[in-house]
Amino acid sequence: MAGQRRGAGPLWALGGVALGVCLAGVAGQLVEPSTAPPKPKPPPLTKETVVFWDMRLWHVVGIFSLFVLSIIITLCCVFNCRVPRTRKEIEARYLQRKAAKMYTDKLETVPPLNELTEIPGEDKKKKKKKDSVDTVAIKVEEDEKNEAKKKKGEKE
């Protein structure tokens, strides 16, 4: 007892109990061999194997592939997924978008149709308002009237 330290006995006992509990848990997980004959292996899966509804494996794979392909084609057609492949196509698409933007910007400056058309018998002075946009035809008519007034003023 000269080599033992004081209080070491209960620690050894506690370690022994913990080791016993672990070994008991491991022993419970061991599989006991059975005396029954081994199960037969299933037949190998080939393309002629009947999967379900009397359809062979290659029928199921083909139908599934066609379904996925039709979904991909439909999505690409609906959302226009084509990616330009050359620099020339990319530049052409850029110029096309730029021209479309310029066209829409010009369309926004065009006055409404009712301001562009003239109604017969309507007085043009009443028609003109501060808010309305002068069209080219109205400006040309005003310029012609101003020139005619200047010529009459010079003759007199």
Side-chain angles (χ1 to χ4, degrees):
M1 290 226 182
Q4 282 187 351
R5 286 195 244 164
R6 195 174 202 188
L11 283 177
W12 280 104
L14 186 60
V17 170
L19 183 62
V21 169
C22 288
L23 287 177
V26 169
Q29 294 178 359
L30 293 177
V31 178
E32 294 193 21
S34 66
T35 56
K39 295 180 181 177
K41 291 183 178 179
L45 191 63
T46 64
K47 65 181 179 183
E48 293 299 324
T49 304
V50 176
V51 181
F52 55 90
W53 297 333
D54 292 332
M55 291 186 354
R56 311 247 184 248
L57 180 64
W58 65 273
H59 293 146
V60 175
V61 170
I63 291 171
F64 180 75
S65 300
L66 287 175
F67 179 72
V68 169
L69 185 65
S70 66
I71 288 175
I72 291 171
I73 290 172
T74 303
L75 289 176
C76 287
C77 289
V78 168
F79 294 112
N80 195 12
C81 296
R82 187 178 178 278
V83 178
R85 303 221 182 264
T86 64
R87 181 177 178 159
K88 196 174 193 179
E89 288 179 358
I90 293 170
E91 290 174 352
R93 185 168 286 173
Y94 169 74
L95 291 174
Q96 186 179 17
R97 285 188 185 132
K98 188 176 177 183
K101 184 171 177 9
M102 288 175 50
Y103 179 73
T104 55
D105 290 343
K106 292 233 186 216
L107 277 181
E108 290 175 358
T109 62
V110 174
L113 183 62
N114 60 0
E115 292 180 12
L116 293 176
T117 57
E118 297 179 12
I119 301 172
E122 184 180 352
D123 190 16
K124 291 183 182 180
K125 291 182 181 177
K126 289 182 182 178
K127 184 179 177 184
K128 190 173 180 182
K129 300 176 186 176
K130 289 182 180 179
D131 298 341
S132 69
V133 178
D134 286 341
T135 60
V136 176
I138 293 174
K139 287 183 179 179
V140 169
E141 288 177 10
E142 289 176 356
D143 290 341
E144 289 175 356
K145 288 179 184 178
N146 291 337
E147 287 178 13
K149 286 180 184 177
K150 285 180 184 177
K151 287 181 182 178
K152 286 182 183 178
E154 291 175 2
K155 289 181 181 179
E156 295 175 5

